[in-house]
């Protein structure tokens, strides 16, 4: 992450905490909301993983945490919303719709059974001492837009309805990973737009890349093909995501959770001399020993479970040549998990922090509707909104609101630039090495355009965005002097 953004995160967190401390002073009714908000702004940012049933969400959770914590088979545990957080001892808290919480110790693997009937459960919180979760906690969802309406309902209850409920602020997601193994459908786009995110806080993933197109035995490498196709999906999702990355969650998970042993690599390597048709036969015949002497069906199933058809076809050469170490390295690289991890631990963390700061402003607005505490909350709002440290939060709020009101607004590129900029030149869309005179002229030009926009019909969100941008350019101009 950019060091400038790192500093901004810690400054902003202090500011928000001070506001929450002040909020709490307003009376006993504000103690609970303050507690929720405090938890929200101090915990690690949280990414929600969404997508259809079987798009590879839970597999990705395991790959990201390098631990088999999320169930991926057809257990009932895959049907609930699960939150994964850093914490010891490893345990699950099953939260009922009645608010009651049941605690279960967690062994080495995923939660096996639910202590209550599925329809009585709100969500599950799972704690695990885990370095990745310390940076970014996760919400795994049972799926959207599937044939199973209940899954969709559970997911929506957490992310859409729950996302509007201030009493659940500490459970809110700050950014989203959207998995899809084909072109996204209209209902998925609608669902994504209801999450209140922006392209800066939403990452698209073309999942199951290893079986994309014609798969492991087709003419072209499925992962490379998926990489090319990802651009098309990114175009279709233009107002929702900025990038779509191809990912083989299966290869990533197996490489991350210790499934690749020397024995497995040796078995895989022993297939190196087969041609394409023989590999197909090897996968399909009852007894693979007739193709490769000594190979049992159990050994083959183990290989298929760990690396899939693509891993067998494309990974056997690597396994033969460089053993388990080389195979692991190859799996991490081709799976796409390194690129995704880099993205999720990069600047998106900063945008997630801006997102949640905006959500805190939303929450304050919501709480201020309570007549008894209105004056106190209004005062807190006024104080926080007047802080110079809120500049980027307010820009981001304009960006989010402008997206919601008009996803094609001409103001969006400028807003994005102003939010992501780390120096005055970038606010104007130039690089930091640009000549100060040129930078100044560009700012003047942008200001002129913004002034002209006042003559055209704008939505309320765009109107506010226009004003914020004027402030941003003026601010940048001043700091050039
Ligand atoms: N070939 C292949 N299979 C995958 C991949 N990701 C997940 N799967 C398999 O698809 C099934 C469903 O995955 P899961 O992560 O549970 O999907 P979820 O319903 O979205 O959580 C499991 O059997 C996984 O092993 C992938 O990238 N490639
Ligand atoms: Mg799942």
């Amino acid at each position: 992450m950019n060091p400038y953004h790192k500093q901004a995160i810690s400054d902003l967190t202090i500011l928000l905490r001070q506001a929450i401390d002040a909020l709490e002073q307003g009376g006993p009714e504000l103690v609970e909301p303050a507690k929720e908000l405090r938890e929200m702004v101090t915990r690690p940012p949280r990414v929600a993983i969404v997508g259809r049933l079987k798009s590879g969400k839970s597999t990705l959770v395991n790959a990201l945490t390098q631990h088999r914590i999320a169930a991926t088979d057809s257990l009932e545990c895959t049907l609930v919303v699960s939150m994964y957080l850093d914490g010891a001892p490893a345990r699950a808290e099953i939260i009922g719709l009645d608010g009651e919480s049941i605690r279960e110790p967690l062994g080495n693997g995923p939660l096996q059974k639910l202590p209550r009937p599925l329809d009585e459960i709100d969500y599950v919180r799972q704690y695990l001492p885990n370095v990745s979760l310390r940076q970014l906690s996760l919400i795994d969802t049972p799926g959207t837009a599937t044939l199973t309406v209940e899954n969709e309902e559970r997911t929506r209850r957490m992310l859409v309805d729950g996302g509007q409920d201030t009493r659940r602020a500490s459970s809110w997601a700050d950014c989203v990973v959207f998995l899809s193994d084909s072109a996204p459908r209209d209902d998925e786009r609608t669902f994504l737009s209801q999450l209140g995110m922006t392209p800066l806080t939403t990452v698209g993933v073309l999942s199951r890349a290893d079986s994309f197109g014609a798969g492991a035995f087709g003419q072209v490498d499925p992962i490379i093909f998926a990489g090319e196709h990802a651009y098309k999906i990114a175009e279709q999702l233009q107002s929702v995501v900025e990038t779509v990355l191809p990912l083989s969650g299966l290869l990533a998970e197996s490489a991350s959770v210790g499934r690749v042993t020397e024995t497995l690599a040796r078995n895989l390597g022993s297939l190196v001399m087969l041609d394409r048709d023989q590999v197909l036969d090897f996968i399909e015949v009852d007894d693979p020993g007739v193709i490769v002497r000594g190979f049992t069906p159990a050994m083959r199933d183990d290989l298929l479970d760990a690396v899939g058809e693509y891993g067998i076809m494309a990974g056997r050469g690597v396994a033969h040549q460089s053993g388990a170490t080389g195979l692991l390295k190859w799996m991490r690289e081709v799976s796409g998990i390194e690129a995704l991890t880099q993205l999720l631990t990069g600047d998106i963390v900063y945008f997630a922090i801006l997102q949640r700061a905006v959500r805190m402003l939303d929450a304050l607005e919501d709480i201020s509707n309570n007549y008894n505490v209105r004056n106190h909350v209004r005062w807190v709002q006024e104080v926080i909104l007047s802080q110079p440290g809120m500049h980027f939060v307010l820009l981001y709020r304009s960006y989010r609101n402008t997206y919601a009101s008009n996803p094609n607004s001409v103001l969006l590129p400028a807003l994005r630039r102003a939010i992501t900029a780390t120096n005055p030149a970038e606010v104007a869309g130039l690089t930091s090495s640009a000549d100060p005179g040129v930078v100044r002229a560009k700012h003047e030009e942008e200001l002129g355009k913004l002034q002209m926009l006042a003559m055209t019909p704008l939505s309320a969100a765009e109107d506010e965005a226009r004003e914020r941008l004027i402030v941003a350019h003026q601010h940048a101009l001043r700091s050039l002097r």
Side-chain angles (χ1 to χ4, degrees):
M1 198 195 314
N2 188 310
Y4 178 88
H5 285 158
K6 233 181 202 155
Q7 184 63 41
I9 290 176
S10 78
D11 292 349
L12 185 57
T13 306
I14 293 172
L15 195 61
L16 297 181
R17 284 188 66 151
Q18 285 170 343
I20 295 165
D21 290 345
L23 178 74
E24 196 173 27
Q25 303 303 315
E29 277 169 88
L30 290 169
V31 172
E32 255 322 292
K35 188 169 157 249
E36 271 296 305
L37 290 176
R38 189 175 291 115
E39 198 184 325
M40 171 174 89
V41 304
T42 48
R43 60 163 167 72
R46 180 165 299 154
V47 45
I49 303 186
V50 303
R52 284 176 226 173
L53 185 72
K54 298 238 173 271
S55 55
K57 299 180 294 296
S58 303
T59 306
L60 175 60
V61 168
N62 293 335
L64 288 173
T65 55
Q66 316 214 344
H67 204 95
R68 279 220 68 209
I69 47 176
T72 53
D73 22 41
S74 50
L75 290 173
E76 56 176 4
C77 297
T78 65
L79 303 178
V80 291
V81 171
S82 283
M83 209 176 274
Y84 295 98
L85 314 156
D86 173 53
R91 64 190 187 277
E93 287 170 10
I94 296 91
I95 320 286
L97 286 168
D98 54 11
E100 215 152 292
S101 160
I102 301 176
R103 202 172 148 145
E104 299 262 325
L106 276 180
N108 229 344
L111 183 66
Q112 292 294 332
K113 252 191 86 56
L114 296 172
R116 295 182 72 170
L118 191 58
D119 58 8
E120 291 178 14
I121 295 174
D122 187 0
Y123 67 99
V124 176
R125 225 181 296 168
Q126 302 197 48
Y127 290 89
L128 186 87
N130 186 282
V131 187
S132 311
L133 292 175
R134 207 166 301 157
Q135 288 184 307
L136 206 65
S137 56
L138 304 169
I139 303 180
D140 187 12
T141 61
T144 56
T146 62
L147 296 174
T148 52
V149 181
E150 294 84 0
N151 277 353
E152 161 110 15
E153 272 174 12
R154 284 182 212 110
T155 306
R156 295 186 75 89
R157 187 168 62 224
M158 188 74 183
L159 296 179
V160 181
D161 310 335
Q164 275 140 29
D165 183 352
T166 304
R167 287 164 305 178
R168 293 174 69 132
S170 66
S171 308
W172 288 346
D174 309 312
C175 55
V176 166
V177 172
F178 169 59
L179 269 70
S180 178
D181 58 6
S182 53
R185 294 188 313 219
D186 281 349
D187 52 352
E188 288 175 298
R189 296 170 55 110
T190 308
F191 173 79
L192 285 172
S193 70
Q194 289 169 342
L195 298 178
M197 297 283 162
T198 70
L200 286 175
T201 48
T202 313
V203 177
V205 166
L206 180 51
S207 64
R208 308 177 73 110
D210 57 294
S211 54
F212 194 73
F217 301 102
Q219 294 284 328
V220 290
D221 183 296
I223 296 190
I224 293 173
F225 187 36
E228 288 162 7
H229 196 80
Y231 287 106
K232 284 188 205 150
I233 296 192
E235 262 167 34
Q236 288 168 7
L237 285 175
Q238 223 169 48
S239 61
V240 186
V241 303
E242 253 172 34
T243 32
V244 175
L245 297 178
L247 179 84
S248 165
L250 177 69
L251 289 179
E253 181 191 43
S254 294
S256 310
V257 303
R259 283 213 63 172
V260 176
T261 59
E262 283 298 344
T263 312
L264 186 125
R266 197 163 43 238
N267 290 346
L268 181 57
S270 72
L271 307 178
V272 73
M273 72 297 183
L274 305 183
D275 64 25
R276 176 185 169 279
D277 289 346
Q278 285 171 315
V279 175
L280 266 171
D281 285 344
F282 166 83
I283 288 170
E284 272 158 24
V285 293
D286 288 337
D287 177 13
V290 301
I291 314 276
V292 181
R293 189 137 35 98
F295 230 102
T296 65
M299 283 157 68
R300 178 188 57 191
D301 291 349
D302 197 36
L303 266 188
L304 275 171
D305 277 355
V307 301
E309 293 183 351
Y310 177 79
I312 291 182
M313 190 62 193
R316 62 209 162 109
V318 187
H320 176 74
Q321 216 169 38
S322 342
T325 320
L327 180 62
L328 271 169
K329 190 162 172 282
W330 176 80
M331 285 167 72
R332 286 195 62 84
E333 270 167 23
V334 298
S335 68
I337 192 69
E338 296 200 326
L340 181 61
T341 304
Q342 215 166 29
L343 208 121
L344 289 179
T345 51
D347 288 334
I348 195 172
V349 175
Y350 172 63
F351 305 130
I353 298 284
L354 290 181
Q355 170 84 24
R356 84 179 177 196
V358 169
R359 300 296 292 276
M360 173 162 147
L361 297 181
D362 295 346
L364 286 177
E365 189 61 35
D366 186 53
I367 302 168
S368 77
N369 289 325
N370 176 345
Y371 183 78
N372 298 329
V373 292
R374 177 174 295 166
N375 288 338
H376 182 76
V377 182
R378 290 264 159 89
W379 168 74
V380 174
Q381 284 177 299
E382 242 166 68
V383 173
I384 187 155
L385 288 175
S386 66
Q387 302 295 315
M390 293 298 281
H391 173 68
F392 286 97
V393 177
L394 294 174
L395 268 174
Y396 185 84
R397 185 171 71 176
S398 278
Y399 183 61
R400 182 199 66 174
N401 293 350
T402 302
Y403 252 113
S405 77
N406 177 8
N408 302 312
S409 171
V410 290
L411 289 165
L412 288 168
L415 282 167
R416 189 197 178 286
R417 277 202 306 270
I419 294 164
T420 54
T422 53
N423 60 61
E426 284 172 7
V427 176
L430 300 170
T431 59
S432 55
S433 57
D435 175 73
V438 174
V439 176
R440 196 166 298 125
K442 188 81 197 310
H443 278 298
E444 306 280 8
E445 185 192 326
E446 292 294 319
L447 276 168
K449 280 196 223 161
L450 288 165
Q451 247 106 38
M452 293 295 289
L453 270 181
M455 321 286 181
T456 61
L458 297 175
S459 68
E462 287 176 308
D463 214 35
E464 195 193 309
R466 193 186 72 90
E467 276 165 34
R468 295 255 170 258
L469 278 170
I470 290 177
V471 173
H473 283 290
Q474 284 170 342
H475 186 75
L477 268 177
R478 263 199 306 279
S479 58
L480 276 175
R481 293 205 177 104

